Amino acid sequence: MKRPKLKKASKRMTCHKRYKIQKKVREHHRKLRKEAKKQGRKKPRKDPGVPNSAPFKEALLREAELRKQRLEELKEQQKLDRQKEQEKKRKLETNPGVKPSNLEPVKEESGQCKAKDKPKSGKQNPKKLYCQELKKVIEASDVVLEVLDARDPLGCRCPQAEEAIVQSGQKKLVLVLNKSDLVPKENLENWLSYLKKELPTVVFRASTNLKEKGKIIKHLKVRKRAPFRSEVCVGKEGLWKLLRSFQETCGKAIQVGVIGFPNVGKSSIINSLKQERICNVGVSMGLTRYMQVVTLDKQITVVDSPSFIVSPVNSASALALRSPASIEVLKPVEAASAILSQADARQVVLKFTVPDFKNPLDFFTSLAQRRGLHQKGGSPNLEGAAKLIWSEWTGASLGYYCHPPSSWTTPPHLNEAIMRDMKQGLNLEELEKNNAHSIHIIRGPRLASSILFQSSGLTNGIIEEKDIPEELPKQKEKKQEEGEDCDDLDSDQDGIEEAASEKTSEMSRAEEAWEAPPEESQADVSAPPYISDKMAEEEDDAYDFSTDYV
């Protein structure tokens, strides 16, 4: 009841009503306790995480980590936007005469600045964007580090990129043999003696277990233990001394560009030199899409670059190993079959503990049964097994090696004068000592436990935007058809029949690639031109697996 002289109504009530409410509350609480007692107390269950038996555990963990980073960045961006809006509101409150229309041009100008900092990639072909960024890195660098996978160094060299560096002027080109702990020591020494005849070569093993940028680690009283192999960086001192000696001869600050094919470990090398996870590394191939400048000290700056674009004239195995899945789409069965055709079958059987096989399809069937990869109905998942092989071969866990060519010949894009200029101003004696020390420290696998792989030679890349092939009309039609909703049952049935015919043709191509393997010749280092028209025309969903190397 509202009292006449007071604004607010009284909250007073009769004792009968108050006691009745308290009684109802007690009954309600008693009822809840009774139900909870029947069900039993359930503590909040902890997330068990990904089980160790999962075939792609590392990939899933990395994807979750990347997703978490993206969410954090989004939250920070939203926070900054809110702060800007609050500042604008405060300005409007302090200056009521200023109209909001006067603030609109400032918004547009800030938007233009952001667009300049980061190139637009809305409708632009990602391949052309990669070429533009790669050119920027080569032009801005005084020293260019070409990162090679020690398991197949010749297959990681791009003659077009090396020729562009030579033609760009007074720039030094240095080869870096990364992932050197995945090959036997004898093979690593042979490759080092072969490559240093042409260009200065550094033996390196990037560290993959680094703290993130700005992350504070609390010091706990924990018993110290010896670090794993993956935590230790090898060859860092040798590379530092080489860059420092060149900087002292120049007498000015230098910029060091890092280039290479996907998954050779470009960003991991920069993180190892910085001793901090500053560059984005992950499971997907071709993760770095723009040039990124990292300052090591006052005199040396490192520039990370996107990966090379693989030319379609390369062999099937080169396309399978060097193509980032986000750009060059390959069918898993066909790609894995091309890789298997270049490997020693007996060592593959011993490594994956499967019975002898006549063709890749037999191998994928045995591997799927062994790893528990099954489809609905219990049939073996051949595509899953092919993706597993592809991910292990392109990742940083499988140990395989290639023999260097028996006879050394000067590459067509280099000559004696160029090779002499590349070595001037660098302390090669000190580099040789550091390389010998690195090889001594590295604990590589035994020769018997590694797989012998037949390299397909130098891998051709695309550096110029004009050399990038345009989309075929069939591809454009397919994209338009995918965007439309098809409700007709007859068209659905036709699509199913076409998919089945494509799958059978893919299997037949895999068998043909296995039946006619390339001739083994160690002296010949040219890449055999092989690629099917179907591979260039069709695009499927990519399956990205690797470790911390990018």
Side-chain angles (χ1 to χ4, degrees):
M1 181 180 174
K2 193 172 180 181
R3 286 172 288 178
K5 291 184 180 180
L6 295 173
K7 291 180 181 179
K8 292 180 182 179
S10 174
K11 291 182 181 179
R12 293 174 68 183
M13 62 178 74
T14 60
C15 293
H16 174 72
K17 192 176 181 181
R18 186 167 67 250
Y19 296 150
K20 193 176 180 181
I21 291 167
Q22 289 174 1
K23 186 180 178 184
K24 289 283 183 186
V25 168
R26 284 197 300 272
E27 285 175 2
H28 176 67
H29 288 165
R30 196 182 302 117
K31 189 178 178 182
L32 290 177
R33 283 198 299 272
K34 218 172 192 180
E35 287 175 0
K37 197 174 182 182
K38 282 180 184 178
Q39 292 175 0
R41 287 190 178 181
K42 289 186 178 180
K43 292 182 181 178
R45 291 182 68 184
K46 290 183 180 178
D47 184 14
V50 184
N52 292 327
S53 58
F56 312 119
K57 181 181 177 180
E58 292 181 5
L60 292 169
L61 289 173
R62 290 292 169 199
E63 282 175 9
E65 196 174 332
L66 287 170
R67 206 179 298 115
K68 192 178 177 182
Q69 285 178 2
R70 287 195 206 101
L71 286 170
E72 286 176 0
E73 288 171 2
L74 188 66
K75 283 179 182 177
E76 286 177 6
Q77 188 63 37
Q78 287 173 352
K79 191 178 179 182
L80 290 169
D81 292 338
R82 282 197 299 271
Q83 286 175 357
K84 285 178 183 177
E85 286 177 6
Q86 286 173 1
E87 284 176 7
K88 285 176 186 176
K89 285 179 182 177
R90 285 195 204 101
K91 284 178 183 177
L92 288 169
E93 286 171 3
T94 52
N95 302 323
V98 180
K99 293 180 181 179
S101 60
N102 297 337
L103 298 171
E104 284 176 7
V106 178
K107 235 182 206 179
E108 289 175 6
E109 285 173 11
S110 65
Q112 287 174 1
C113 293
K114 284 180 183 177
K116 284 178 186 176
D117 294 338
K118 198 170 185 178
K120 290 180 182 178
S121 61
K123 293 182 181 179
Q124 194 176 3
N125 191 348
K127 296 181 184 179
K128 291 184 179 179
L129 191 67
Y130 275 42
C131 290
Q132 289 171 10
E133 294 295 305
L134 188 63
K135 279 183 182 177
K136 286 180 191 175
V137 172
I138 292 171
E139 287 171 8
S141 303
D142 301 306
V143 181
V144 181
L145 303 178
E146 188 177 9
V147 184
L148 312 178
D149 193 332
R151 298 174 291 183
D152 185 11
L154 210 59
C156 293
R157 289 186 67 177
C158 180
Q160 287 79 14
E162 291 180 8
E163 192 176 356
I165 293 161
V166 169
Q167 291 175 357
S168 60
Q170 299 294 324
K171 296 183 189 295
K172 301 291 181 186
L173 179 61
V174 179
L175 304 178
V176 181
L177 275 175
N178 195 24
K179 304 185 187 180
S180 52
D181 62 325
L182 298 175
V183 294
K185 281 190 179 183
E186 301 86 357
N187 186 257
L188 185 62
E189 288 169 355
N190 293 338
W191 272 112
L192 183 62
S193 59
Y194 177 84
L195 293 171
K196 72 181 181 183
K197 292 175 184 175
E198 298 175 20
L199 297 165
T201 308
V202 182
V203 175
F204 204 88
R205 208 226 71 80
S207 177
T208 57
N209 194 358
L210 295 165
K211 63 177 182 180
E212 291 181 13
K213 184 184 175 183
K215 195 172 184 180
I216 300 167
I217 299 170
K218 294 179 180 179
H219 296 281
L220 302 171
K221 292 181 180 179
V222 182
R223 188 178 63 183
K224 290 184 179 180
R225 57 188 179 86
F228 293 111
R229 280 193 306 169
S230 59
E231 296 176 10
V232 180
C233 177
V234 179
K236 179 187 165 186
E237 291 181 7
L239 188 56
W240 257 113
K241 287 176 182 177
L242 188 74
L243 296 174
R244 182 67 66 192
S245 66
F246 179 70
Q247 186 270 322
E248 286 172 359
T249 53
C250 290
K252 61 172 186 176
I254 61 167
Q255 282 196 331
V256 182
V258 184
I259 61 172
F261 280 105
N263 269 33
V264 292
K266 302 182 292 295
S267 300
S268 296
I269 286 173
I270 296 170
N271 290 341
S272 300
L273 291 172
K274 186 71 176 174
Q275 289 185 332
E276 196 174 12
R277 194 170 178 176
I278 200 163
C279 287
N280 196 13
V281 293
V283 295
S284 57
M285 299 175 76
L287 196 65
T288 307
R289 299 191 177 184
Y290 306 102
M291 63 180 289
Q292 184 180 358
V293 180
V294 179
T295 306
L296 296 182
D297 60 9
K298 291 180 181 179
Q299 302 297 329
I300 300 172
T301 306
V302 181
V303 186
D304 195 6
S305 71
S307 57
F308 299 145
I309 303 297
V310 184
S311 175
V313 301
N314 289 292
S315 65
S317 61
L319 286 167
L321 290 169
R322 310 285 166 234
S323 298
S326 56
I327 300 170
E328 299 288 345
V329 180
L330 289 171
K331 293 188 176 180
V333 174
E334 198 169 335
S337 302
I339 292 168
L340 281 175
S341 66
Q342 303 284 95
D344 190 344
R346 191 179 64 180
Q347 290 173 338
V348 169
V349 165
L350 292 171
K351 185 73 178 176
F352 291 97
T353 58
V354 293
D356 292 334
F357 56 94
K358 294 178 182 178
N359 54 42
L361 300 181
D362 289 347
F363 174 75
F364 297 145
T365 306
S366 303
L367 186 66
Q369 288 171 351
R370 179 160 185 81
R371 298 290 178 95
L373 301 172
H374 298 292
Q375 293 176 337
K376 285 182 180 179
S379 59
N381 188 356
L382 300 184
E383 282 197 4
K387 287 171 183 175
L388 180 62
I389 289 293
W390 187 25
S391 66
E392 290 209 9
W393 228 277
T394 54
S397 58
L398 186 68
Y400 66 90
Y401 66 98
C402 303
H403 287 305
S406 54
S407 60
W408 178 80
T409 53
T410 309
H413 58 279
L414 299 175
N415 55 42
E416 290 183 4
I418 291 168
M419 291 189 287
R420 204 183 309 111
D421 291 341
M422 290 291 179
K423 293 174 183 177
Q424 278 182 357
L426 301 173
N427 193 349
L428 297 178
E429 292 179 3
E430 187 71 25
L431 176 63
E432 206 166 323
K433 289 178 185 176
N434 289 320
N435 282 339
H437 179 65
S438 299
I439 292 169
H440 179 70
I441 289 172
I442 288 168
R443 291 182 291 174
R446 290 181 291 108
L447 202 66
S449 62
S450 298
I451 300 170
L452 178 62
F453 187 75
Q454 179 64 33
S455 177
S456 56
L458 298 171
T459 305
N460 294 311
I462 299 173
I463 305 299
E464 298 293 332
E465 295 174 45
K466 60 184 180 181
D467 297 334
I468 294 170
E470 295 295 331
E471 280 188 349
L472 297 170
K474 284 184 181 179
Q475 288 178 331
K476 290 179 182 176
E477 285 174 11
K478 192 178 278 187
K479 284 182 181 178
Q480 287 173 2
E481 285 172 6
E482 284 174 0
E484 296 173 359
D485 292 325
C486 299
D487 295 330
D488 193 11
L489 291 172
D490 297 334
S491 63
D492 289 346
Q493 188 63 30
D494 293 339
I496 292 162
E497 287 173 4
E498 283 175 11
S501 63
E502 281 175 10
K503 195 167 184 179
T504 53
S505 64
E506 184 189 349
M507 299 295 184
S508 62
R509 280 199 298 272
E511 287 177 351
E512 285 172 12
W514 178 259
E515 285 169 5
E519 294 179 1
E520 295 184 4
S521 59
Q522 294 178 356
D524 186 19
V525 296
S526 62
Y530 169 82
I531 186 167
S532 60
D533 295 334
K534 200 80 173 175
M535 193 187 302
E537 289 175 5
E538 296 175 354
E539 289 185 4
D540 294 325
D541 293 333
Y543 202 94
D544 298 332
F545 289 107
S546 69
T547 55
D548 294 333
Y549 296 104
V550 175

